[in-house]
Amino acid sequence: MTTKRQLYVATFLTDAACAAFVFAVGRLLAEEGIGLLLLGAVGAGVTAGWAIAALPAGQLSDRCGRRHTALLGISLLLISAVGSLVFQNFRGPFLAFYLFCGVGAGASYAGLIPWLSDLDSGAPRKDKTRTLMMFCFAWNLGLLGGKTAAGLLFVVNPFAPVALAVLLSGAALVLLLRLPSPARAPEPEPVPPPMAVDQRLSIAFGRMCWIANIAGTCCVGIVMYLLSDLAVVLEVPAPSQGLILGGWRIAVMLTYVVMHHSDFWHHRFKVIIGARLLGLVGLAIVCVATGSLGLLAGLSCLGGMLGFNYFSSLYYATSGSSDCRRGRACSVVEFTVSVGVVMGTLLGGFAGAAFGFRAPYQLAVVVVAAMFILELFVFLFYVSPVRAATRTLIPGGPDKDS
């Protein structure tokens, strides 16, 4: 098995471990009746650990190597799961170890994503987007598989999914220990060479993606932690809720496939506008849905926007950064993703408690619209000058939004 494929497997195992762990603890706390606000706060705490770890782990990845950073992250995830399993009868230490799960996951991604991108250094664009697509498939399938297995095991024993998380993270650790360390990225030159036009545009569009990620994953936080409440109110059966969430994830993955096989979206603001409108339509449908079909249609549209946001942000981060700075660029993507989830979980919980079960999704509409206004300002005052400068470098250069 090639190094790249083994990294996909490690990504799958890591995300499956996190999914099983999060499902088990969330369900356990919900059954204890701790309330929507506290449940959201615990979920936000895990994601906050991801955000806290992302940026320093990205620096560590560039300085000390991708393999060491990924090993550190997965080791922390394993310690978190083992600690929670050992202290399952002591709620304080149990939750303390659980909250550390996010730190391990954030550090893992800071090593895995740039490691995969380094393997494609100098490769054609399609090879690079194929790697990004397969990486996104790996973590999405890990998320689905981990939650499905955790749901089945939880019926047997509430802590069985935590034991599964121990096994999965341990397997990921063993797999990475067997891989050789990738070649170190070269040190930056005192006077860096001029950047290519595509690289400059990728850096500029990447700034917009940071804002888009915060808005999009704010919706993810709401759906992840609060959709069950809406489903119960609308009398949507649990199996139907599972199918709805599966359809949502399929829409995300189909978006990855379309983006890999096309390049019409590269450095085009019009496509970004279309993605935001699709997401807003999806949220509007969820706000007025009265049953399973409405939720499925709304979340599928939202999934299209979320898939576009994440894939484009990874593409611009990897294509806009040099080998020696790729870890930091990718870690900023993960940081913005985790910040959005924290924001959505906390604000959605407060809105739902204060204004009713549809309020979190109405709030999401406001957040996406407000963040798009910020994206527009970034485009006008940062991206447009970069585009104008690139046209002077190449006569008749890129003018894709005309």
Side-chain angles (χ1 to χ4, degrees), residues 219 222-223 227 230-231 233-234 278-302 351 355-368:
C219 303
I222 290 172
V223 173
L227 184 68
L230 178 62
V233 172
L234 298 181
L278 181 64
L280 288 171
V281 168
L283 287 170
I285 294 174
V286 172
C287 286
V288 299
T290 57
S292 300
L293 289 179
L295 291 179
L296 177 61
L299 290 181
S300 296
C301 292
L302 179 63
F355 302 107
F357 61 92
R358 292 197 190 270
Y361 308 94
Q362 295 164 347
L363 173 68
V365 172
V366 175
V367 170
V368 173

Side-chain angles (χ1 to χ4, degrees), residues 11-379:
T11 301
F12 171 85
L13 293 171
T14 301
D15 239 281
C18 289
F21 199 4
V22 169
F23 178 92
V25 176
R27 180 78 185 194
L28 184 66
L29 294 176
E31 291 191 354
E32 291 180 353
I34 69 169
L36 193 61
L37 285 178
L38 287 178
L39 194 62
V42 172
V46 173
T47 314
W50 191 309
I52 292 169
L55 295 180
Q59 296 279 5
L60 183 68
S61 179
D62 287 335
R63 292 176 180 272
C64 301
R66 318 304 189 198
R67 181 173 179 269
H68 292 127
T69 307
L71 285 172
L72 173 63
I74 294 175
S75 298
L76 293 175
L77 176 59
L78 177 60
I79 291 170
S80 174
V82 169
S84 291
L85 193 62
V86 170
F87 291 99
Q88 59 184 268
N89 296 321
F90 302 91
R91 188 58 73 235
F94 171 79
L95 288 177
F97 274 102
Y98 171 61
L99 293 176
F100 211 63
C101 162
V103 177
S108 300
Y109 270 60
L112 290 171
I113 300 174
W115 191 349
L116 282 166
S117 297
D118 288 348
L119 294 175
D120 281 334
S121 183
R125 178 181 291 176
K126 284 298 180 185
D127 289 346
K128 295 179 180 179
T129 56
R130 182 181 296 108
T131 297
L132 293 179
M133 180 184 68
M134 295 303 297
F135 166 76
C136 291
F137 276 5
W139 72 258
N140 273 278
L141 292 174
L143 191 66
L144 285 174
K147 292 205 172 197
T148 301
L152 296 173
L153 290 172
F154 192 89
V155 179
V156 179
N157 187 297
F159 293 96
V162 184
L164 176 64
V166 172
L167 294 175
L168 292 172
S169 54
L173 183 63
V174 171
L175 179 60
L176 289 187
L177 284 171
R178 297 176 57 188
L179 288 178
S181 295
R184 287 288 303 276
E187 295 296 326
E189 301 176 10
V191 181
M195 287 187 290
V197 170
D198 274 2
Q199 187 176 2
R200 292 190 179 190
L201 288 173
S202 290
I203 293 172
F205 274 82
R207 302 297 189 270
M208 297 176 63
C209 288
W210 297 347
I211 301 171
N213 276 336
I214 294 175
T217 52
C218 176
C219 303
V220 171
I222 290 172
V223 173
M224 280 177 59
Y225 293 101
L226 306 178
L227 184 68
S228 295
D229 183 66
L230 178 62
V232 169
V233 172
L234 298 181
E235 299 182 349
V236 174
S240 297
Q241 181 186 348
L243 291 174
I244 290 168
L245 290 173
W248 175 46
R249 191 54 58 186
I250 288 172
V252 173
M253 291 191 285
L254 286 176
T255 305
Y256 298 151
V257 174
V258 171
M259 295 179 73
H260 162 60
H261 287 288
S262 60
D263 58 7
F264 70 90
W265 54 274
H266 293 171
H267 309 129
R268 292 194 178 185
F269 187 58
K270 290 179 181 178
V271 181
I272 293 176
I273 295 174
R276 300 300 169 269
L277 290 175
L278 181 64
L280 288 171
V281 168
L283 287 170
I285 294 174
V286 172
C287 286
V288 299
T290 57
S292 300
L293 289 179
L295 291 179
L296 177 61
L299 290 181
S300 296
C301 292
L302 179 63
M305 184 190 78
L306 297 176
F308 177 85
N309 287 357
Y310 189 68
F311 195 90
S312 60
S313 64
L314 280 184
Y315 173 78
Y316 292 137
T318 54
S319 64
S321 58
S322 59
D323 290 347
C324 61
R325 296 179 180 271
R326 190 162 292 131
R328 181 170 59 180
C330 293
S331 67
V332 174
V333 173
E334 296 304 313
F335 174 77
T336 56
V337 165
S338 53
V339 167
V341 174
V342 172
M343 185 171 73
T345 304
L346 291 178
L347 294 181
F350 281 118
F355 302 107
F357 61 92
R358 292 197 190 270
Y361 308 94
Q362 295 164 347
L363 173 68
V365 172
V366 175
V367 170
V368 173
M371 288 295 187
F372 177 70
I373 293 174
L374 287 180
E375 286 184 80
L376 182 59
F377 278 109
V378 172
F379 178 78

